[in-house]
């Protein structure tokens, strides 16, 4: 353990509240903050190292040229907004005064103001760095009309891709699959996917990629066999070990979805009960 020096403690006492957030000085620390600073007399160096290893920053903050690059998420162009998350991320409910994900460390990245509130952009969306996400615009190319796909953490419109004429954006908008229009009820399958729960109850509906694949296979088969077979083909393609195509010592053979015990011909319910499925079916018919 080591002791904070007198000068260090004095320096803490002279900082203002906004100084601690990396902003301009506004007011002195309160007496309660003085008590907190004074209590930091003995700190274990090992604990500091361990804590530093746990913090995952969302990324370096770019320098501003003084121009307003982001409209305010609530007030729009009438007010300039300074984002706290980098491109490829969106802020936990930037348009909400309070949200359950605010400050939640699991699955979130550390923002530039030191709070776990940055969420990786989802497939089918793109995040330009203004703390919000935008849906990829639908393709209007003849023969290729429909939703576009994008990879996770996309940060520009150009990251959105149109599917070939014989393909269609998957239910999760992360890749192109065989056309299912007229075979699957997209609304039903998407609602079913959103209702799946993780195998670990503590993660709730925060599914990993393997669990998402299991859920998607299951939900497609809940609509009909033909719909399920389309997702089965997608599933088998993702777990198939493929050669990277690179010759020599850098040649790598790997599956897109590794270490996943999914049964591509069927899947478990992942937390969906019969009553939930009944409600989904009823909603799809209304």
């Amino acid at each position: 353990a080591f002791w904070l020096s007198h000068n260090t403690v004095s320096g803490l006492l002279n900082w203002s509240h906004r100084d601690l957030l990396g902003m301009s000085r506004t007011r002195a620390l309160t007496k309660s903050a003085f008590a907190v600073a004074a209590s930091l007399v003995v700190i274990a160096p090992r604990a500091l190292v361990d804590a530093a290893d746990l913090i995952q920053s969302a990324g370096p903050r770019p320098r501003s040229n003084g121009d307003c690059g982001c409209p305010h998420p609530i007030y729009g162009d009438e007010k300039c907004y300074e984002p706290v998350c980098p491109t490829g991320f969106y802020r936990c409910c930037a348009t909400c005064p309070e949200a359950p994900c605010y400050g939640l460390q699991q699955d979130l990245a550390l923002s530039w103001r030191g709070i776990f509130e940055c969420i990786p952009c989802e497939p089918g969306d793109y995040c330009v760095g203004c703390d919000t996400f935008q849906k990829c615009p639908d393709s209007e190319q003849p023969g290729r009309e429909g939703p576009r796909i994008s990879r996770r953490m996309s940060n520009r419109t150009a990251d959105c891709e149109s599917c070939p004429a014989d393909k269609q954006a998957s239910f999760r908008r992360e890749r192109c699959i065989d056309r299912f229009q007229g075979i699957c009820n997209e609304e039903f399958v998407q609602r079913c996917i959103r209702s799946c729960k993780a195998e670990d109850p503590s993660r709730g509906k925060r599914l990993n990629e393997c669990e998402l694949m299991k859920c998607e296979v299951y939900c497609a088969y809940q609509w009909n066999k033909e719909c399920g077979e389309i997702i089965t083909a997608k599933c088998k393609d993702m777990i198939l070990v493929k050669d990277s195509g690179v010759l020599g010592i850098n040649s790598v053979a790997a599956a897109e979805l590794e270490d996943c015990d999914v049964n591509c011909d069927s899947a478990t319910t992942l937390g969906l009960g019969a009553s939930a499925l009944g409600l989904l079916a009823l909603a799809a018919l209304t």
Side-chain angles (χ1 to χ4, degrees), residues 117-148:
E117 57 183 337
C118 296
I119 306 173
C121 211
E122 295 291 339
D125 301 329
Y126 64 98
C127 303
V128 298
C130 290
D131 287 355
T132 57
F133 63 88
Q134 295 174 274
K135 177 181 176 292
C136 284
D138 289 350
S139 172
E140 299 179 353
Q141 301 180 48
R144 303 176 66 182
E145 298 90 351
R148 296 181 181 181

Side-chain angles (χ1 to χ4, degrees):
F2 68 94
W3 295 80
L4 291 178
S5 67
H6 177 271
N7 291 336
T8 302
V9 176
S10 299
L12 285 172
L13 303 183
N14 291 328
W15 286 353
S16 68
H17 176 70
R18 296 177 69 89
D19 282 331
L20 297 176
L21 299 177
M23 304 173 67
S24 61
R25 296 192 173 188
T26 55
R27 61 182 182 273
L29 286 170
T30 60
K31 292 182 178 179
S32 60
F34 172 83
V36 172
S39 66
L40 297 176
V41 178
V42 180
I43 302 178
R46 180 61 184 174
L48 289 177
V49 174
D50 292 342
D53 292 339
L54 294 175
I55 296 176
Q56 297 180 356
S57 175
R61 186 169 196 166
R63 295 182 179 180
S64 175
N65 57 7
D67 298 332
C68 181
C70 295
H72 198 281
I74 300 177
Y75 304 107
D77 296 330
E78 298 179 359
K79 188 175 182 180
C80 187
Y81 178 76
E82 184 177 0
V84 299
C85 297
T87 59
F89 291 82
Y90 66 96
R91 181 184 163 195
C92 163
C93 201
T95 59
C96 305
E98 295 181 3
C101 58
Y102 184 83
L104 181 67
Q105 295 188 20
Q106 189 172 1
D107 302 327
L108 299 182
L110 197 65
S111 69
W112 291 319
R113 61 177 185 166
I115 300 175
F116 287 95
E117 57 183 337
C118 296
I119 306 173
C121 211
E122 295 291 339
D125 301 329
Y126 64 98
C127 303
V128 298
C130 290
D131 287 355
T132 57
F133 63 88
Q134 295 174 274
K135 177 181 176 292
C136 284
D138 289 350
S139 172
E140 299 179 353
Q141 301 180 48
R144 303 176 66 182
E145 298 90 351
R148 296 181 181 181
I149 64 169
S150 67
R151 292 183 177 273
R152 185 179 173 88
M153 295 178 62
S154 295
N155 56 33
R156 53 181 181 168
T157 311
D159 293 332
C160 302
E161 304 177 28
S162 302
C163 290
D166 61 336
K167 300 288 184 180
Q168 186 175 349
S170 66
F171 300 115
R172 295 192 287 123
R173 303 292 189 258
E174 89 285 11
R175 63 188 289 140
C176 297
I177 61 176
D178 294 337
R179 297 194 68 85
F180 55 81
Q181 189 172 7
I183 301 176
C184 304
N185 185 307
E186 185 171 20
E187 183 179 0
F188 170 85
V189 177
Q190 287 179 332
R191 286 186 179 183
C192 178
I193 292 173
R194 291 195 296 269
S195 299
C196 288
K197 296 181 180 179
E199 297 173 357
D200 179 3
S202 66
R203 289 191 284 113
K205 293 186 178 181
R206 298 191 300 273
L207 280 64
N208 57 38
E209 289 300 319
C210 182
E211 292 168 337
L212 282 170
M213 189 71 262
K214 293 179 181 179
C215 175
E216 191 171 357
V217 171
Y218 172 79
C219 290
Y221 273 102
Q222 289 304 305
W223 182 250
N224 60 39
K225 181 180 178 181
E226 292 74 17
C227 181
E229 289 174 346
I230 293 175
I231 303 303
T232 288
K234 169 192 172 182
C235 176
K236 291 181 177 180
D237 182 66
M238 292 183 67
I239 64 174
L240 179 65
V241 176
K242 306 171 188 176
D243 197 323
S244 63
V246 179
L247 300 177
I249 59 175
N250 293 325
S251 178
V252 177
E256 185 174 347
L257 188 60
E258 296 182 312
D259 300 325
C260 182
D261 59 349
V262 60
N263 180 354
C264 292
D265 296 307
S266 64
T268 56
T269 60
L270 285 177
L272 276 177
S275 59
L277 290 174
L279 291 174
L280 287 171
L282 180 62
L285 295 174
T286 57

